[in-house]
Amino acid sequence: MGSSHVYTNNFDGRVDQTSDGLLRLSSTTKTEDHIGSSSGEVLVHKDGHPYQQYYQQYYPSANASMNNIVVGGDQSSVDPHRANNNYSEKKNKGEKKMKKPKYAFQTRSQVDVLDDGYRWRKYGQKAVKANKFPRSYYRCTYQGCNVKKQVQRLNKDEGIVVTTYEGMHTHPIDKPSDNFEHILSQMQIYTHI
DNA sequence: CGATTTTGACCGGCGC
DNA sequence: GCGCCGGTCAAAATCG
């Protein structure tokens, strides 16, 4: 596997991958599919039937290129706490709001959910005001790992997907690595400080 | 049959 | 206090 990942960050703000598709989603399927061309069944954000089940599947978004990296939240340390069971425990009273940093980045892709190597379970979907497309909420399905992420497609540009990560994974990936996750982890080094 | 999605209800924060 | 809004829950439905 391409152990050496070389991404070039243009001033444009986009990241291109070299060698074998870095942003390739899965080790199988084809790589480099033309985006913009209707090649397959992709998003069907139709009115009424926003998303179906294209989650957990690997979509050929090899052409995905990063556009922008937005870092939100303060530097108030990431709190990997909350690693309890469920939500049974209320908020920590007196703990105030623990603002958790979020790592958001935009991606140009037709795929809503990028495969970052983790297993996610969707737990909600809400329509945001002033936005045509709903926002999906996912949570990492690992015992004790409460990493959340939300995916939203821009109303303006359907080609842009904003993925926001919240928290950090503290467990190994469950799938063949060498994906977005690698890039992500790299980015976090810089962003979470 | 188990895991995951769907979808409306529910809840807490905020602004008025 | 009320309504808006974003986020989460949870029961039922669905998928593999």
Side-chain angles (χ1 to χ4, degrees):
Chain A
M1 299 64 99
S3 45
S4 56
H5 300 127
V6 189
Y7 352 107
T8 54
N9 203 334
N10 304 332
F11 292 110
D12 203 68
R14 50 190 296 185
V15 178
D16 289 79
Q17 70 270 33
T18 58
S19 301
D20 41 36
L22 226 197
L23 305 187
R24 140 164 58 107
L25 290 191
S26 103
S27 45
T28 76
T29 67
K30 62 284 205 81
T31 49
E32 290 212 54
D33 230 326
H34 21 296
I35 281 191
S37 261
S38 61
S39 46
E41 56 310 290
V42 214
L43 305 190
V44 199
H45 45 60
K46 269 317 164 36
D47 40 76
H49 277 180
Y51 303 15
Q52 283 285 1
Q53 68 207 51
Y54 13 87
Y55 171 56
Q56 201 195 327
Q57 284 192 359
Y58 317 135
Y59 292 85
S61 75
N63 210 0
S65 57
M66 312 260 249
N67 252 8
N68 218 341
I69 298 178
V70 188
V71 184
D74 289 37
Q75 68 288 356
S76 50
S77 61
V78 189
D79 59 0
H81 310 22
R82 305 188 73 202
N84 267 336
N85 276 337
N86 285 331
Y87 38 83
S88 53
E89 202 159 45
K90 281 164 187 178
K91 291 335 133 55
N92 302 334
K93 43 320 229 2
E95 275 295 315
K96 267 175 223 181
K97 283 36 244 274
M98 25 176 159
K99 29 174 79 171
K100 335 163 189 192
K102 299 195 204 164
Y103 314 102
F105 59 91
Q106 303 181 354
T107 306
R108 184 138 230 158
S109 149
Q110 276 192 288
V111 189
D112 271 39
V113 180
L114 303 120
D115 189 350
D116 46 20
Y118 290 106
R119 196 68 132 274
W120 302 93
R121 184 185 85 257
K122 186 186 217 168
Y123 67 87
Q125 172 175 305
K126 254 316 200 48
V128 232
K129 197 170 79 102
N131 227 334
K132 205 149 79 142
F133 306 107
R135 175 186 298 160
S136 303
Y137 301 89
Y138 298 91
R139 189 178 261 171
C140 185
T141 63
Y142 188 90
Q143 200 256 301
C145 185
N146 282 307
V147 178
K148 289 182 262 184
K149 88 168 170 185
Q150 48 183 241
V151 179
Q152 175 175 17
R153 190 167 284 278
L154 286 194
N155 186 21
K156 200 96 191 279
D157 247 303
E158 189 206 308
I160 304 249
V161 176
V162 183
T163 307
T164 307
Y165 282 84
E166 192 175 319
M168 282 184 168
H169 297 281
T170 55
H171 59 91
I173 311 186
D174 196 33
K175 299 164 86 176
S177 44
D178 276 359
N179 291 9
F180 237 63
E181 175 51 33
H182 263 212
I183 308 179
L184 240 191
S185 50
Q186 297 280 334
M187 292 195 297
Q188 287 179 350
I189 295 179
Y190 302 109
T191 56
H192 98 319
I193 296 215

